[in-house]
């Protein structure tokens, strides 16, 4: 709170300096004639300081009431891959027990360890999911378990949920058997919007982990399965990260490929994967708090 008060005080002082300059120019304070020789540069300086003040006001607003970050996880809703028939294992007790075990071992701990804990987590499940599985999912931080009927369009469903949270939103996705870096939420909030109303981002550096051997591989993957979509819409007409498949969001909006010094995600490869396989070059295990 002391840091915030100091920051707010600095903003007030900057605002007062800007107002004093404007008042001195137009209200006849001594020195107007001398400053008029540099009127153009003074106007530029005042304009720049006004922008700084407005920027500070925006930062303070986000510190007090930050833009919501919402993660979406498809846990066991029925899915279709290409022309393949719908998978029926999503309600199988053995498969569900394996899936919840992966979730609790890999996905949940990293979400619980987020350096910025101010996020929401929507976990999508089949309406017929056993209550014991639902209860275990609800142990996840900031979570809401949402029953989803077969063949439901996820984009509109998620959009209707997040529209209640404000006119600006950040949505991202995480599979129930994968991991995000503990700094993922914080890193999303540090990304500059630059006046854009809608755009996507991808952190390109990540890891692959063989769950059986414990071997890690480092990999740079531009259009990976961990995108985020940033949206500002006063009418709250959002499309969310489920507007398209994760590797085709760039067809709908600008997409930033962001390089980082440390891995930002980890794909866990295990016997139950449908599409994933080990990729990249061998690397040592990341620190526990990566």
């Amino acid at each position: 709170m002391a840091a915030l008060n100091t920051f707010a005080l600095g903003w007030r002082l900057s605002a007062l300096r800007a107002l004093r300059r404007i008042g001195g120019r137009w209200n006849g304070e001594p020195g107007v004639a001398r400053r008029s020789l540099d009127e153009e540069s003074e106007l530029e300086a005042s304009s720049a300081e006004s922008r700084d003040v407005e920027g500070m006001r925006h930062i303070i607003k986000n510190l007090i009431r930050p833009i919501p970050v919402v993660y979406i996880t498809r846990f066991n809703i029925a899915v279709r891959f290409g022309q393949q028939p719908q998978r029926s294992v999503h309600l199988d007790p053995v498969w569900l027990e394996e899936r919840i075990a992966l979730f609790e071992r890999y996905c949940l701990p990293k979400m619980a360890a987020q350096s910025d804990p101010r996020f929401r987590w929507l976990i999508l499940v089949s309406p017929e999911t056993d209550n014991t599985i639902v209860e275990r999912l609800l142990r996840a931080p900031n979570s809401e378990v949402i029953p989803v009927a077969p063949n439901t369009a996820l984009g509109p469903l998620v959009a209707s949920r997040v529209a209640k949270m404000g006119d600006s939103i950040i949505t991202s996705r995480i599979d129930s058997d994968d991991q995000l870096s503990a700094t993922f939420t914080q890193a999303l909030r540090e990304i500059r919007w630059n006046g854009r109303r809608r755009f996507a981002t991808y952190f390109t550096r990540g890891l692959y982990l063989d769950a059986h051997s414990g071997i890690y591989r480092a990999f740079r993957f531009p259009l990976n399965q961990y995108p985020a979509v940033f949206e500002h819409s006063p009418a709250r007409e959002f499309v969310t990260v489920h507007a398209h498949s994760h590797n085709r969001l760039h067809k709908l909006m600008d997409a930033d490929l962001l390089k980082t010094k440390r891995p930002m995600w980890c794909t866990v490869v295990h016997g139950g994967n449908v599409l994933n396989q080990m990729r990249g070059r061998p690397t040592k295990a990341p620190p526990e708090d990566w």
Side-chain angles (χ1 to χ4, degrees):
M1 183 61 70
L4 181 59
N5 288 340
T6 301
F7 190 80
L9 179 60
W11 169 74
R12 291 192 186 98
L13 291 174
S14 296
L16 288 171
R17 283 197 297 268
L19 291 172
R20 190 175 294 120
R21 285 181 178 176
I22 295 171
R25 186 176 301 115
W26 299 111
N27 293 336
E29 283 186 6
V32 172
R34 291 192 297 273
R35 287 203 303 269
S36 64
L37 297 175
D38 300 316
E39 185 69 21
E40 185 174 345
S41 60
E42 279 287 319
L43 283 171
E44 291 176 357
S46 179
S47 176
E49 188 160 11
S50 296
R51 288 195 299 270
D52 290 343
V53 170
E54 185 61 32
M56 290 177 184
R57 185 182 292 114
H58 180 71
I59 291 171
I60 292 172
K61 178 181 176 182
N62 285 336
L63 284 171
I64 298 172
R65 188 177 182 181
I67 293 172
V69 173
V70 184
Y71 294 102
I72 299 95
T73 294
R74 299 184 301 182
F75 183 74
N76 71 324
I77 58 175
V79 295
R80 182 183 296 273
F81 294 98
Q83 299 301 314
Q84 298 179 27
Q86 208 167 44
R87 301 182 69 201
S88 59
V89 298
H90 65 286
L91 293 175
D92 179 76
V94 174
W95 183 88
L96 277 174
E97 186 57 41
E98 293 174 350
R99 179 61 49 162
I100 194 70
L102 289 166
F103 175 77
E104 292 173 338
R105 180 176 180 181
Y106 296 107
C107 186
L108 189 154
K110 295 304 294 182
M111 297 302 289
Q114 290 293 303
S115 58
D116 185 342
R118 300 167 299 173
F119 63 87
R120 299 282 296 276
W121 194 358
L122 307 183
I123 303 176
L124 313 183
V125 302
S126 167
E128 301 170 300
T129 304
D130 188 271
N131 284 338
T132 58
I133 297 295
V134 172
E135 290 172 2
R136 290 166 72 175
L137 291 172
L138 286 171
R139 297 172 189 168
N142 310 326
S143 64
E144 180 181 357
V145 176
I146 302 174
V148 179
N151 302 316
T152 298
L154 295 187
L157 171 70
V158 175
S160 67
R161 292 277 177 166
V162 302
K164 305 172 185 176
M165 302 179 190
D167 57 12
S168 294
I169 203 81
I170 303 170
T171 54
S172 187
R173 65 189 300 280
I174 173 66
D175 288 342
S176 62
D177 53 350
D178 290 338
Q179 298 179 311
L180 297 180
S181 162
T183 61
F184 202 95
T185 305
Q186 177 183 338
L188 289 180
R189 285 215 165 91
E190 293 173 352
I191 292 172
R192 294 181 177 274
W193 292 59
N194 294 329
R196 293 175 290 182
R197 292 298 184 96
R198 178 179 294 144
F199 64 99
T201 61
Y202 295 83
F203 294 115
T204 60
R205 184 176 181 180
L207 297 168
Y208 277 76
L209 167 63
D210 186 316
H212 299 295
S213 67
I215 293 175
Y216 283 87
R217 289 180 176 270
F219 191 63
R220 289 193 180 275
F221 189 1
L223 300 178
N224 56 65
Q225 62 265 43
Y226 310 95
V229 169
F230 296 65
E231 297 180 85
H232 175 68
S233 172
R236 303 191 181 189
E237 296 174 345
F238 301 120
V239 299
T240 81
V241 73
H242 279 292
H244 212 321
S245 56
H246 64 264
N247 58 350
R248 294 186 177 183
L249 288 169
H250 66 284
K251 295 181 179 294
L252 300 180
M253 62 193 81
D254 288 345
D256 297 346
L257 305 181
L258 306 176
K259 296 181 179 180
T260 55
K261 294 182 178 180
R262 58 188 297 174
M264 297 299 291
W265 46 264
C266 180
T267 297
V268 180
V269 178
H270 51 84
N273 292 108
V274 175
L275 298 175
N276 291 324
Q277 57 185 357
M278 291 293 286
R279 308 170 75 173
R281 56 178 177 79
T283 188
K284 63 181 180 180
E288 190 171 335
D289 62 346
W290 69 277

